[in-house]
Amino acid sequence: MKDTPLDLSRLATMDGGQATRLLQRIREASLAGDRPPVAPRPVIGASWQRMRRLGVDPDRQAGRVVLAAEELEHRRRTSALAEVIRGVTGGLTDVADATLQILVVSDDQGRVLWREGNPRVSRRADSISLAEGAAWAEQVTGTNAIGTALAARAPVQVHAAEHFVHTLAHWTCAAAPVHDPRDGRLLGAIDVSGPAVGFHPTTLALVTSVARLAESELRERHQRAVERLRSVAAPILCRVGGRAMAVDTHGWTAAVTGMAPVDRLPLPKSLRPGRLWLPSLGRCTAEPLPGGWLLTVEEEPPPETPSKVVLDLSRPRRWSLTVTGAAGSWAQELTPRHAELLYVLAVHRDGRSAAELAADVFGDPTRTVTVRAEMSRVRRHLAGVLAHRPYRFSEEVEVEVVRPEHPADLLPHSTAPAVTGGRLFGLDPA
């Protein structure tokens, strides 16, 4: 039984005091390097390991440094969450207030942007610096729902002594990350926190549903913006000879002429009017449109095969692929799934079949349909870089993988067998 990790459903069936004591024993044994009576939940155990590597002091006080009022207001105004947060969290705020908890919304760095809920609990939250402008990233405050959900890019509930910093052991919290549906970028987290006596495992499902609702609202707003761009671009494209397309600022296609449509075209961050090179199109001319860009493809021979690809997995939550060739260089941020797939292909230069990739990523060789769909999306954006039958990087391309300093930080969100194998002593799977 000691090797079977604890789970929230088991905690929920236990007496509150008994559950608290068990979590304390697990935490104390784990931090001392001893074998705990029951293994911590995997997401908690992985976070504790990160805290030890980062040198976080479990006896520290929660971070007291908060943002200046001007900086806090700037982050609120520029956050994509500001567009939707009031509309989707109203009901959750009422629930939090009624159950003696508070609702907290952070940005992608774990900074608290908004806090609402029960006034009495809010005053208690001030004592642990769970306040607007405070930092709740893992490296600042240790294992906690906001910081750990952002690090794992998945919903997380942290209860009592599962917090790494012991001053938080009287709290329970559940948080879910919110991603921008336009580009997959992490926007922040929605969290419900309160005294540990208010713990209930269903809180996590409630918070997760609100986070998904926020993403759905952002997606609908984006679709309306693309429709507006299409109405502007359509008459312009009718007058353009050759190949051209109108895309929004995130690369989503609004209209196209002279070529097959794609859902999205990755754009460089520093896109400006003028000529540029894109791997999937070659030489183009970019002209601004209201809410997007007009890309006109220059009629010339296809660009040469890029000479080098750098897959950068060194940063905690942002992974990128940089393509360099005679025509210039181009970089694209990667979704977690695409980062996994490209890592596997970088390790296996001889290529992988769809079944092998399915086993590498999902641990299930039968999930070939999902793999083919994902690889189709990747290959649309990386013409000349990726080949298929089997899937592989082109032989002419030099591939470099930039790994995190510590092997255990390789794609920390991932449960893919190929990635977990790559974390062991920094070795790539054979």
Side-chain angles (χ1 to χ4, degrees):
M1 289 293 293
K2 289 186 177 182
D3 294 328
T4 303
L6 188 67
D7 60 55
L8 291 177
S9 59
R10 178 179 172 187
L11 278 179
T13 63
M14 299 172 65
D15 171 76
Q18 182 186 11
T20 298
R21 289 189 294 272
L22 174 60
L23 290 175
Q24 288 173 340
R25 290 167 57 202
I26 294 173
R27 178 182 179 277
E28 290 170 1
S30 298
L31 298 190
D34 300 328
R35 188 179 185 185
V38 182
R41 293 188 290 134
V43 66
I44 299 300
S47 178
W48 287 351
Q49 291 178 12
R50 288 195 295 272
M51 298 309 95
R52 288 195 290 266
R53 291 197 303 273
L54 291 170
V56 176
D57 182 1
D59 295 320
R60 70 165 52 173
Q61 295 290 319
R64 299 289 178 177
V65 179
V66 299
L67 295 173
E70 297 81 4
E71 175 64 16
L72 176 60
E73 281 304 314
H74 171 72
R75 294 198 183 203
R76 285 172 169 170
R77 287 195 307 271
T78 57
S79 171
L81 291 176
E83 305 172 16
V84 299
I85 205 64
R86 297 296 180 187
V88 302
T89 60
L92 186 57
T93 301
D94 294 340
V95 171
D97 190 4
T99 56
L100 301 181
Q101 298 183 92
I102 55 174
L103 169 71
V104 177
V105 179
S106 82
D107 64 12
D108 64 318
Q109 297 177 358
R111 286 283 184 176
V112 176
L113 298 183
W114 295 278
R115 188 191 75 177
E116 296 180 352
N118 186 272
R120 184 154 55 98
V121 178
S122 294
R123 288 191 293 272
R124 290 185 60 180
D126 290 337
S127 68
I128 59 169
S129 198
L130 185 52
E132 292 176 342
W136 279 74
E138 277 194 333
Q139 63 267 30
V140 178
T141 316
T143 304
N144 70 90
I146 293 173
T148 304
L150 293 174
R153 300 180 73 100
V156 174
Q157 190 160 12
V158 180
H159 178 54
E162 289 183 321
H163 291 89
F164 189 79
V165 175
H166 79 86
T167 55
L168 305 178
H170 299 294
W171 285 78
T172 187
C173 48
V178 181
H179 295 86
D180 192 328
R182 296 169 294 187
D183 56 12
R185 181 170 55 93
L186 192 61
L187 297 177
I190 297 175
D191 166 88
V192 167
S193 293
V197 293
F199 164 74
H200 198 287
T202 60
T203 305
L204 183 60
L206 180 61
V207 171
T208 301
S209 67
V210 173
R212 300 296 83 80
L213 182 61
E215 292 174 346
S216 177
E217 177 63 24
L218 286 169
R219 188 175 295 108
E220 290 181 8
R221 287 171 178 253
H222 175 237
Q223 290 171 349
R224 292 196 292 270
V226 171
E227 288 295 332
R228 289 193 296 270
L229 175 60
R230 181 176 294 117
S231 66
V232 171
I236 297 175
L237 288 177
C238 289
R239 299 191 297 269
V240 173
R243 296 183 295 157
M245 62 192 309
V247 298
D248 73 0
T249 55
H250 294 270
W252 289 94
T253 301
V256 62
T257 185
M259 69 179 86
V262 296
D263 293 334
R264 186 185 179 207
L265 185 72
L267 300 176
K269 286 184 177 180
S270 58
L271 180 59
R272 296 176 183 146
R275 298 181 70 202
L276 74 154
W277 173 74
L278 298 174
S280 56
L281 294 181
R283 286 286 182 184
C284 307
T285 300
E287 301 176 62
L289 293 173
W293 295 91
L294 173 65
L295 300 176
T296 305
V297 181
E298 297 181 8
E299 298 301 331
E300 60 180 20
E304 298 179 7
T305 300
S307 58
K308 185 174 182 179
V309 167
V310 177
L311 178 61
D312 188 349
L313 306 178
S314 62
R315 292 173 293 178
R317 297 192 302 271
R318 290 188 177 176
W319 313 284
S320 65
L321 189 77
T322 300
V323 181
T324 304
S329 64
W330 170 88
Q332 176 189 352
E333 287 197 1
L334 302 173
T335 66
R337 181 69 71 217
H338 291 175
E340 291 172 335
L341 290 167
L342 291 173
Y343 167 73
V344 173
L345 296 182
V347 170
H348 296 279
R349 287 304 306 273
D350 55 341
R352 303 296 273 174
S353 67
E356 288 172 327
L357 274 179
D360 292 331
V361 174
F362 300 108
D364 180 359
T366 67
R367 295 187 61 177
T368 55
V369 173
T370 303
V371 164
R372 290 192 179 100
E374 291 289 353
M375 287 303 302
S376 176
R377 296 185 185 99
V378 175
R379 293 186 67 244
R380 279 203 300 267
H381 304 153
L382 296 173
V385 174
L386 290 177
H388 67 300
R389 297 179 182 175
Y391 295 112
R392 65 195 185 279
F393 280 101
S394 300
E395 295 178 0
E396 301 85 359
V397 176
E398 177 189 351
V399 179
E400 177 186 352
V401 180
V402 181
R403 293 171 173 79
E405 181 177 353
H406 197 287
D409 291 329
L410 176 67
L411 299 175
H413 71 283
S414 177
T415 59
V419 176
T420 56
R423 295 184 190 132
L424 297 175
F425 310 108
L427 300 177
D428 292 322

